[in-house]
């Protein structure tokens, strides 16, 4: 029959069209699709590599945010050169050993994020809603673990030869090698306990929540939004990982711009020992005006760009490597 022949011709075209449409759709790997053992082993290794690569810019951003005006550094590159000249490469990694304990919070973050997405899926199928709620929840859990580590590592970041930048100054030399590095950490911990008690380790906790919960809650929806838009702009055969790698830095830059004012205030509260977010904000505005709220933004974006590319590529690859064997062939990458 002519109709049957026509249908037979149309059917392959429809299947071809469906296949191309499937290739455009980014398939999100959810928690229940993962081999958990692989996920955690690969996750720790990936996180450690990322921290090593971006830590110097985290240190620079912190110093830029704490300094008064441009008293020590005139920008990200100037700070990088001066620290390198004064303290060498080790100067860019002050507080790094302490900061590695945030690997724990990193694993708690991804676990909370994935489990929350699974929970929210029972109430909403909107990817934006799932990402928003899961991102905020994951940050709440992670910051509760991270803040004490951040407080100690930030004070170590402030150690430099010459004029001190923070509230506390370690005794002895600042070579930062071997036992000396751990000695500096113990010295800072003692000074925090002496000055503020146990509460000192959670100084700036509220400011951290006000910084990182919105940052995380905003990053995930923007990441999926940019990835979806790029999937329509890129050629159909373009691997998903390419526009995911582009979407990550775009989302990070967007989130950084929106949350940087709170990040500056958080850093000052933690490093300078201030007790009020509002008073810190007023003092910053009085001393440096609105532009003071954007201090360290370029360093934040510079550190976020490579790290986010690595995080996104690493995280998406990690989830693919951790995918349960029976699901591997059903996915298009």
């Amino acid at each position: 029959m002519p109709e049957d022949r026509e249908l037979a011709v149309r059917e392959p075209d429809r299947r071809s069209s469906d296949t191309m449409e499937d290739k455009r759709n980014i398939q999100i790997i959810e928690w229940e699709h993962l081999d958990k053992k692989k996920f955690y082993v690969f996750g720790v290794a990936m996180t450690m590599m990322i921290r090593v690569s971006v830590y110097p810019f985290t240190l620079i951003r912190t110093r830029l945010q704490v300094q008064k005006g441009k008293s020590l550094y005139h920008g990200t590159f100037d700070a990088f050169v001066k620290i390198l000249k004064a303290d060498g490469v080790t100067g860019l990694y002050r507080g790094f050993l302490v900061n590695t304990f945030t690997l724990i919070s990193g694993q708690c973050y991804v676990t909370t994020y994935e489990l929350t997405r699974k929970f929210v899926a029972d109430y909403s199928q909107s990817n934006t809603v799932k990402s928003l709620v899961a991102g905020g929840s994951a940050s709440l859990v992670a910051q509760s673990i991270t803040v004490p580590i951040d407080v100690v590592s930030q004070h170590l970041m402030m150690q430099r030869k010459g004029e001190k930048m923070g509230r506390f100054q370690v005794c002895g030399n600042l070579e930062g090698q071997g036992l000396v590095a751990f000695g500096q950490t113990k010295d800072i911990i003692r000074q925090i306990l002496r000055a503020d008690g146990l509460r000192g380790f959670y100084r700036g906790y509220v400011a951290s929540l006000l910084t990182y919960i919105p940052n995380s809650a905003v990053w995930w929806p923007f990441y999926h939004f940019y990835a979806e838009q790029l999937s329509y702009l890129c050629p159909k055969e373009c691997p998903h990982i390419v526009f995911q790698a582009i979407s990550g830095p775009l989302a990070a830059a967007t989130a950084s711009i929106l949350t940087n004012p709170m990040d500056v205030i958080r850093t000052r509260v933690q490093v300078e020992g201030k007790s009020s977010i509002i008073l810190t904000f007023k003092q910053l505005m009085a001393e440096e005006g609105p532009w003071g709220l954007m201090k360290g933004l370029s360093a934040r974006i510079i550190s976020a760009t490579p790290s986010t590319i690595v995080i996104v590529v690493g995280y998406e690859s990690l989830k693919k490597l951790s995918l349960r064997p029976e699901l591997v062939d059903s996915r298009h990458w």
Side-chain angles (χ1 to χ4, degrees):
M1 294 289 289
E3 291 85 355
D4 292 336
R5 285 196 298 271
E6 185 178 347
L7 184 61
V9 171
R10 286 179 182 173
E11 196 60 37
D13 290 343
R14 189 180 301 118
R15 284 197 296 268
S16 176
S17 175
D18 290 343
T19 301
M20 297 311 290
E21 189 62 31
D22 288 342
K23 289 182 178 181
R24 278 192 179 279
N25 293 331
I26 302 173
Q27 297 165 305
I28 298 173
I29 300 174
E30 302 289 3
W31 180 251
E32 60 271 20
H33 303 148
L34 299 173
D35 178 326
K36 309 304 186 294
K37 183 178 178 181
K38 286 183 181 178
F39 182 71
Y40 285 115
V41 171
F42 292 143
V44 170
M46 181 197 77
T47 306
M48 189 63 182
M49 288 189 293
I50 292 168
R51 291 191 185 282
V52 170
S53 63
V54 306
Y55 189 82
F57 289 101
T58 302
L59 181 144
I60 290 169
R61 183 194 77 201
T62 303
R63 289 196 179 186
L64 288 173
Q65 290 177 339
V66 170
Q67 73 171 350
K68 303 295 183 183
K70 295 184 178 180
S71 56
L72 293 172
Y73 310 115
H74 296 289
T76 302
F77 182 73
D78 183 56
F80 179 83
V81 171
K82 286 181 177 177
I83 294 169
L84 203 58
K85 283 183 178 178
D87 303 320
V89 175
T90 56
L92 294 168
Y93 282 90
R94 293 206 189 285
F96 178 73
L97 290 177
V98 175
N99 194 261
T100 56
F101 285 101
T102 56
L103 287 171
I104 300 168
S105 66
Q107 297 311 300
C108 291
Y109 178 94
V110 294
T111 302
T112 304
Y113 177 79
E114 296 295 344
L115 287 175
T116 305
R117 277 186 66 92
K118 183 180 178 182
F119 175 77
V120 175
D122 293 336
Y123 301 92
S124 173
Q125 290 304 309
S126 168
N127 190 50
T128 301
V129 172
K130 288 191 285 187
S131 300
L132 188 71
V133 176
S137 302
S139 191
L140 173 62
V141 172
Q143 286 306 305
S144 298
I145 301 169
T146 300
V147 168
I149 301 169
D150 262 355
V151 168
V152 176
S153 65
Q154 283 176 343
H155 282 296
L156 288 168
M157 288 179 189
M158 294 300 102
Q159 306 306 311
R160 59 187 291 273
K161 295 173 183 177
E163 179 187 351
K164 72 174 186 178
M165 292 187 70
R167 293 170 69 203
F168 307 124
Q169 185 76 30
V170 297
C171 301
N173 62 56
L174 291 174
E175 296 303 316
Q177 297 176 345
L179 292 174
V180 176
F182 289 105
Q184 290 177 12
T185 302
K186 288 191 289 185
D187 193 14
I188 289 293
I189 291 173
R190 287 195 199 101
Q191 291 185 56
I192 293 171
L193 281 170
R194 199 178 303 126
D196 303 319
L198 289 173
R199 289 180 60 188
F201 293 101
Y202 273 90
R203 185 176 290 280
Y205 177 63
V206 174
S208 291
L209 294 183
L210 292 175
T211 301
Y212 289 113
I213 289 178
N215 187 84
S216 182
V218 165
W219 189 91
W220 286 102
F222 270 111
Y223 166 63
H224 290 300
F225 170 75
Y226 288 134
E228 183 180 347
Q229 298 306 308
L230 286 170
S231 72
Y232 293 113
L233 296 174
C234 293
K236 293 182 178 67
E237 298 300 325
C238 182
H240 290 170
I241 200 70
V242 173
F243 42 80
Q244 286 171 329
I246 298 171
S247 302
L250 290 175
T254 305
S256 294
I257 292 168
L258 293 174
T259 62
N260 199 73
M262 200 65 230
D263 191 42
V264 175
I265 293 169
R266 173 195 66 86
T267 304
R268 291 204 170 194
V269 167
Q270 290 180 334
V271 174
E272 296 181 353
K274 298 182 183 299
S275 57
S276 170
I277 293 173
I278 295 173
L279 290 178
T280 303
F281 170 75
K282 288 180 178 178
Q283 182 183 0
L284 181 63
M285 290 295 287
E287 291 177 353
E288 304 186 44
W291 284 110
L293 296 171
M294 290 293 113
K295 294 182 74 171
L297 178 60
S298 61
R300 192 177 177 192
I301 292 175
I302 289 170
S303 66
T305 298
S307 66
T308 306
I309 292 173
V310 174
I311 288 170
V312 168
V313 172
Y315 189 63
E316 296 294 349
S317 300
L318 167 65
K319 291 174 79 175
K320 290 166 191 173
L321 287 171
S322 305
L323 196 63
R324 298 203 327 257
E326 65 271 22
L327 298 174
V328 172
D329 293 334
S330 66
R331 301 296 172 121
H332 167 71
W333 311 120

